[in-house]
Amino acid sequence: MQDQNKEMHLVDEELYFVIDEKSNSIELTEKGLELMTSSTEDKDFFILPDVGAEIAIIEKSEKSDNNKASEKDILLRDFGIKSERIHTINQLLKAYTLFEKDIEYVVMDNKVKIVDEQTGRIMDGRRYSDGLHQAIEAKENVKIEAATQTYATVTLQNYFRMYNKIAGMTGTAETEAGEFWEIYKLDVVAIPTNRPLQRDDKDDLVFKTNREKYNAVIEDIVKLTDLGRPILVGTTSVEISELLSTILRKRGVKHNVLNAKMHQREADIVAEAGIAGGVTIATNMAGRGTDIKLTAEVKKAGGLAIIGTERHDSRRVDRQLRGRAGRQGDPGSSQFYVSLEDKLMRLFGSERIAKLMDRMGLEEGEVIQHSMVSKSIERAQKKVEENNFGVRKRLLEYDDVMNQQREVIYKKRKHALHGDRLSLDVANMIYDTCENIVEELQANKEYENFKLELIRLLATESPVSEEEFKDNSIEVLTEKVYENCYKSYQAKSSAIASQAYPVIKDVFENQSATYENIVIPFTDGLKTLQVVTNLKEAHDSEGGNIAEAIEKSVTLAIIDDIWKEHLREMDDLKQAVQTASYEQKDPLLIYKFESFNLFKALINKVNKDIVSFLIKAGLPTQSAVQEDRHRAENHQTSRPENSGNTPQQAGKPKPKAQPIRAEEKVERNAPCPCGSGKKFKKCHGK
């Protein structure tokens, strides 16, 4: 170890990959890459191309623009495939080496379930992101579920900072006072105990090996049980709790186990933890929501005894465990057992203590107990806490960038959802889209492309001649294109209203008692959107509210669709910029710059897609509806009736086997509108 800096490269040469436990990361070595590529014919199977240099070479070549563009596409596709390949290998290696069964996760019902590091409870429905969960599923040979798609994301810090006032109460905030102030500008005040504390917190017992430590824990449990004291044994993982349980069974000691696999009986087990001579083994024991009540007999014997089998990474969790004894002036004691093989000691604190043990010439089973050692362990925990705080703070800095984007997008969504200034937003989107088209193509005077783009995106002819296009400024051209486009959009909205009104009137007059809403399909030829609108409002406004309904539905659908793709791109960007630290550059700065460009592209795409759909979408023709019906019948589902170029009469009652497509307003005892002859409460209202 003394020569590690000089000789470490000799060790590294033999490695296939390097694990950094402190930063929870994996890195393949040259030897590892060679081993993996040896099974493929392509020697560059895992070698990423230098995109910047390659693009520069393509640009300098004398090939046509089309050839250059296709070569760039091939290069970027190759880069994407290879980076995904390397990422997948890294996640698999991480799953096999850094994530251990019954510590970070458990396998139950043929599924990989994450165990909460702080509470020891199963986090139902939570999955590791970025392909890591799938890698663990492959490792455990269980069914590999599909990757999850993130629809919305926010860090807890930014979520809490959305409140005008925040406060909290916990028994363990004192150790995190610095973080509370730095992130939330909150002071931490320690409140004195209600009754004087009588718990005896002993100095840690430090052993050389885990075997010696567990033997000592078992002996202590047996001794305390004989004294008639209840014992709560705290462990840091499911694995250790099951190991201790096995040893205690062999010794004939009755006990309860509370870990992620037994969480259904949690309250019962904690309630029994105060019985004289009772032993409870618990993983990451926090408050658990149930108090441990002690009888007078137990108080006389010395109260609840806390035994910690290992120091946790965080002092907070150790204090939570200690705090289960000595509540409201009750007597009690706490004792932590530590070995040099514990993860905390191995990574952060064992060298000085190991030297001390060697100097003292300790034999097998001998132990150190000294306040200096306990303080040394607390220093190691402080290092881990600072490290974790650094990670959280960095994560927050990245999320602050996302937060600004989130506010813009959610404001757009809010306007659409509540109808606030939505028509103004749509007008602005049309203007911005027109401006983008003009800016993009006027610089190089590409009139033909300009005409094509107007037809493709806005379904409108150019309002200017080629001469006007070349001579006028961007502002003048944008204004002309916008006026032309906005007029045709308004005319189209009126046409749709008058086209749909006869059907709306018919449904309202004949079936308004049955149905509250009507579903109207819109299509731009590529995608179809079902727009739901209030039947009475549609009738009273003579179809005038249809334009608002379609604007709302289209805006929400397109924003949600593009935003979730953007979240994935931002995740990829966050991974990609980390390599900048090798060039002595700050990854966060590059992330801020690149994410701004991504967001600009996102806003442009949102505007273009919404405007394009609104301008081109119309009611489906008879042939399109028949095609839809034919497709639906093949899938054994049915669509509502339709006649000509009119909205689907979602309000029309259908035979029982078919789904009802509109929201209903039916009395419980009225006949069911499906036509079955039964009362509504006995049929579709069941």
Side-chain angles (χ1 to χ4, degrees), residues 221-267:
I221 291 171
V222 172
K223 189 173 76 185
L224 289 165
T225 311
D226 292 342
L227 293 173
R229 288 182 67 185
I231 302 150
L232 178 63
V233 184
T235 65
T236 55
S237 70
V238 176
E239 187 182 39
I240 296 167
S241 67
E242 290 182 344
L243 169 73
L244 288 175
S245 175
T246 307
I247 301 169
L248 286 175
R249 264 202 307 276
K250 285 180 182 170
R251 294 286 293 266
V253 178
K254 285 184 89 176
H255 62 280
N256 277 323
V257 179
L258 174 57
N259 59 34
K261 294 180 179 177
M262 318 276 178
H263 64 284
Q264 292 92 343
R265 291 189 54 232
E266 185 174 311

Side-chain angles (χ1 to χ4, degrees), residues 343-459:
K343 188 180 175 188
L344 176 76
M345 300 300 287
R346 193 164 49 77
L347 294 181
F348 292 96
S350 64
E351 277 182 49
R352 287 176 63 193
I353 298 168
K355 280 176 190 166
L356 184 68
M357 286 182 135
D358 285 340
R359 237 191 338 265
M360 291 167 72
L362 294 182
E363 297 298 321
E364 170 85 15
E366 282 194 75
V367 62
I368 289 183
Q369 184 173 26
H370 196 280
S371 59
M372 185 200 84
V373 175
S374 296
K375 283 190 181 115
S376 169
I377 292 165
E378 287 219 356
R379 273 198 300 275
Q381 287 176 308
K382 212 169 174 191
K383 263 193 230 169
V384 180
E385 284 166 15
E386 282 166 6
N387 196 25
N388 291 343
F389 172 45
V391 170
R392 283 195 293 275
K393 194 168 177 234
R394 196 70 169 156
L395 180 71
L396 185 61
E397 285 170 346
Y398 278 98
D399 193 63
D400 283 339
V401 178
M402 272 299 298
N403 211 37
Q404 292 166 342
Q405 300 184 3
R406 199 181 290 124
E407 281 171 14
V408 173
I409 287 294
Y410 282 18
K411 197 181 237 178
K412 263 182 180 287
R413 255 192 127 267
K414 201 174 174 185
H415 288 165
L417 207 54
H418 302 298
D420 306 348
R421 49 168 280 162
L422 180 57
S423 54
L424 178 63
D425 273 4
V426 169
N428 283 339
M429 282 189 252
I430 294 173
Y431 187 88
D432 289 346
T433 305
C434 295
E435 189 176 42
N436 273 339
I437 294 169
V438 172
E439 270 182 5
E440 215 173 287
L441 300 165
Q442 208 256 0
N444 295 325
K445 315 295 181 196
E446 299 173 56
Y447 183 66
E448 288 306 315
N449 285 348
F450 170 71
K451 277 188 359 185
L452 285 171
E453 203 69 356
L454 287 184
I455 291 166
R456 187 177 72 82
L457 282 175
L458 307 174

